């Protein structure tokens, strides 16, 4: 018998919207049974798989490093290709063709780990996080992705073989917050609430200076350090497409500075081969108008808190994946800058924010730190997020000068200096000389 879940959604000022979700399983165990049959998990690894694991792990004695070598191989050498098949392809086929979808790559990982004596199984998830309303909607259609869950030294770890190649130890590899997952294990009868660990961190140090006291433009340089999966993504882009593509990604997604381009900046990129860590250095080759209206706004913190439009929300919505952000701005203190050092501390149940500023010698220092404490929020918290973003925008708008009279504290030396008029004097002398020579010729 086919069951139907009818969801009625009412919105103020709009017509009601209806959603129909069809599901024909009687329990989550029915979904598990079907997938166990599709994955053929009882089959022992073939000789081709055993031989490949031996080659990959040759010369490695530590078991953790062997596991890591297998995980790295599938991410790096087996390309992702979504072909919308219900059943995964056989591991031998994926190994030979060197591509597969999420189910096929996951099954290959499971069989390779089995060769190392590591127990693992498929984990069905929803890529953007499973909505609580679907917890009792028994259907495989609730999921759109498959990853691997495996046991190592008594701890359950999750691995997503479809992500870009991730450096670091097995403990450093991260996945999205799927919130819930269905383990494809015999007699499994319920969804599992999954733990969330994000390791995406970026640190920004910016140096802002002005060539002239009165100029409205300045030169600016950044040193940006990436850690965790954020670094893995940038490293992957760098290897595949070069430093300009890394720059464009960072400029668009993190710095949000539309005036930047690889044409007017010098850029350098470096990373540690065996660690999820990298550094991007950017230096503008021409002056930028950043002091207009006497304000400066450091964008990355609140810009990463982009959320969906209200009409696109379901019961929950995602917060950014970057868990920690540290920003330090060093601004040359000129005579016209009128800035007072202060600090702000703000925290709710999903965000921790701290701003601190101080002045030392000829430099204004601005420090911003944020930490996301959750990955998702209930849609009824939308107003809370909007108000928080407004607060951050206001708190990060740094007033660097008196708008009305920005130069009233600058003492201008009005004493004439001969060097200022030297070109005019030279031209005048030449004109007089030429005139005298012409007059002399006329008399002769």
């Amino acid at each position: 018998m086919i069951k139907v879940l009818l969801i009625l959604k009412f919105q103020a000022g709009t017509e009601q919207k209806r959603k129909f979700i069809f599901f024909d399983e009687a329990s989550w165990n029915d979904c598990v049974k079907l997938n166990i049959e599709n994955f053929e998990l009882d089959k022992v690894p073939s000789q081709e798989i055993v031989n490949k694991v031996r080659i990959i792990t040759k010369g490695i004695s530590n078991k953790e490093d062997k596991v890591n070598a297998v995980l790295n191989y599938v991410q790096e050498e087996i390309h992702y290709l979504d072909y919308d098949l219900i059943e995964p392809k056989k591991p031998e086929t994926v190994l030979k063709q060197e591509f597969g979808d999420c189910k096929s790559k996951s099954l290959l990982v499971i069989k390779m780990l089995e060769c190392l004596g590591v127990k693992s199984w498929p984990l069905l998830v929803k890529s953007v996080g499973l909505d609580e309303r679907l917890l009792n909607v028994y259907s495989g259609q609730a999921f759109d992705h498959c990853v691997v869950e495996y046991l190592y030294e008594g701890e359950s770890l999750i691995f997503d073989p479809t992500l870009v190649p991730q450096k670091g130890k097995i403990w450093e590899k991260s996945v999205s917050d799927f919130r819930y997952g269905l383990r494809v294990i015999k007699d499994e009868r319920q969804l599992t609430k999954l733990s969330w660990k994000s390791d995406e961190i970026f640190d920004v140090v910016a140096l802002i200076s002005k060539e002239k006291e009165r100029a409205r433009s300045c030169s600016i340089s950044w040193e940006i350090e990436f850690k965790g999966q954020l670094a893995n993504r940038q490293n992957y882009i760098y290897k595949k497409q070069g430093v300009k593509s890394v720059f464009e990604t960072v400029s668009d997604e993190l710095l949000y500075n539309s005036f930047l381009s690889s044409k007017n900046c010098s850029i350098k990129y470096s990373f540690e081969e065996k660690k999820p860590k990298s550094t991007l250095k950017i230096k503008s080759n021409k002056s930028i108008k950043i002091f207009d209206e006497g304000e400066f706004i450091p964008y990355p913190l609140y810009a990463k808190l982009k959320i969906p439009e209200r009409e696109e929300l379901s019961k929950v919505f995602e917060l950014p994946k970057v868990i920690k952000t540290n920003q330090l701005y060093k601004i040359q203190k000129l005579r016209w800058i009128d800035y007072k050092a202060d600090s702000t501390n703000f925290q709710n149940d999903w965000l921790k924010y701290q701003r601190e500023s101080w002045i030392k010698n000829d430099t204004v220092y601005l420090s911003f730190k944020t930490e996301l404490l959750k990955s998702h929020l209930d849609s009824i918290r939308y107003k809370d997020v909007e108000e928080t973003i407004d607060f951050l925008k206001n708190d990060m708008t740094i007033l660097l000068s008196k708008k009305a009279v920005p130069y009233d504290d600058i003492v201008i030396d009005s004493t004439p200096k001969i060097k200022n008029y030297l070109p005019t004097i030279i031209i005048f002398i030449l004109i007089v000389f030429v005139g005298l020579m012409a007059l002399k010729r006329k008399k002769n």
Side-chain angles (χ1 to χ4, degrees), residues 152-357:
Y152 190 83
E153 294 186 351
E155 184 174 351
S156 174
L157 300 174
I158 299 176
F159 174 71
D160 189 343
T162 65
L163 292 178
V164 299
Q166 297 186 71
K167 298 301 179 183
K169 300 293 185 179
I170 61 175
W171 317 98
E172 295 178 297
K173 300 184 189 302
S174 65
V175 296
S176 300
D177 181 16
F178 303 120
R179 307 181 75 227
Y180 295 91
L182 182 63
R183 291 168 170 159
V184 182
I185 304 175
K186 187 178 180 180
D187 297 328
E188 187 75 7
R189 298 184 178 278
Q190 61 185 5
L191 294 178
T192 299
K193 182 75 171 70
L194 305 173
S195 60
W196 176 58
K197 178 187 75 69
S198 174
D199 61 353
E200 297 198 6
I201 301 173
F202 77 92
D203 296 335
V204 177
V205 176
L207 177 62
I208 302 170
S209 60
K210 295 169 68 67
E211 298 174 358
K212 298 179 181 179
E213 179 72 33
R214 290 188 138 204
R216 282 291 185 181
S217 59
C218 69
S219 62
I220 182 168
S221 60
W222 288 268
E223 182 170 316
I224 307 170
E225 186 175 88
F226 308 99
K227 297 177 184 177
Q229 177 59 4
L230 190 60
N232 280 316
R233 285 203 300 272
Q234 304 304 337
N235 294 348
Y236 184 79
I237 293 173
Y238 176 73
K239 284 187 172 182
K240 295 291 184 180
Q241 303 173 20
V243 69
K244 287 187 178 180
S245 294
V246 175
F247 169 83
E248 290 169 359
T249 301
V250 172
S251 176
D252 293 342
E253 296 182 3
L254 299 180
L255 294 179
Y256 284 85
N257 286 313
S258 58
F259 52 75
L260 286 176
S261 73
S262 57
K263 295 180 180 179
N264 59 32
C265 286
S266 58
I267 46 181
K268 295 181 179 179
Y269 188 78
S270 61
F271 64 96
E272 298 181 42
E273 185 65 34
K274 295 183 179 180
K275 292 185 178 180
K277 180 179 177 181
S278 56
T279 304
L280 176 68
K281 293 183 179 180
I282 305 171
K283 185 176 181 181
S284 58
N285 295 329
K286 68 177 185 178
S287 296
I288 299 170
K289 290 183 178 180
I290 205 168
F291 287 105
D292 286 351
E293 303 298 330
E295 295 179 342
F296 173 59
I297 306 176
Y299 286 93
L301 189 61
Y302 71 80
K304 285 298 293 180
L305 290 172
K306 282 192 169 182
I307 55 176
E309 296 296 330
R310 188 182 292 271
E311 58 270 15
E312 297 176 356
L313 291 180
S314 60
K315 188 176 181 181
V316 296
F317 61 90
E318 283 188 287
L319 292 171
K321 291 182 172 60
V322 176
I323 184 70
K324 290 183 180 179
T325 303
N326 300 304
Q327 301 175 72
L328 177 64
Y329 293 84
K330 304 176 184 178
I331 304 175
Q332 178 186 352
K333 189 181 186 306
L334 303 173
R335 283 175 288 171
W336 59 268
I337 288 182
D338 182 32
Y339 183 76
K340 295 181 179 180
D342 64 352
S343 62
T344 300
N345 285 284
F346 171 82
Q347 183 172 352
N348 53 29
D349 66 331
W350 60 274
L351 175 69
K352 184 178 181 180
Y353 167 74
Q354 180 183 23
R355 174 178 63 82
E356 184 178 3
S357 65

Side-chain angles (χ1 to χ4, degrees), residues 35-43 45 49 70 74 87-92 94 101-114 120-123 146-148 161:
N35 279 280
I36 286 178
E37 181 180 337
N38 289 340
F39 277 91
E40 298 181 335
L41 296 173
D42 292 336
K43 283 189 175 181
I49 302 298
V70 166
V74 177
E87 299 179 4
K89 284 194 175 183
K90 298 189 181 305
E92 300 77 23
V94 176
D101 64 356
C102 61
K103 299 181 294 296
S104 303
K105 292 188 70 170
S106 294
L107 182 56
L108 177 60
V109 170
I110 291 167
K111 291 305 168 183
M112 295 180 100
L113 290 180
E114 190 174 334
S120 61
W121 51 84
L123 181 67
C146 179
V147 296
V148 176

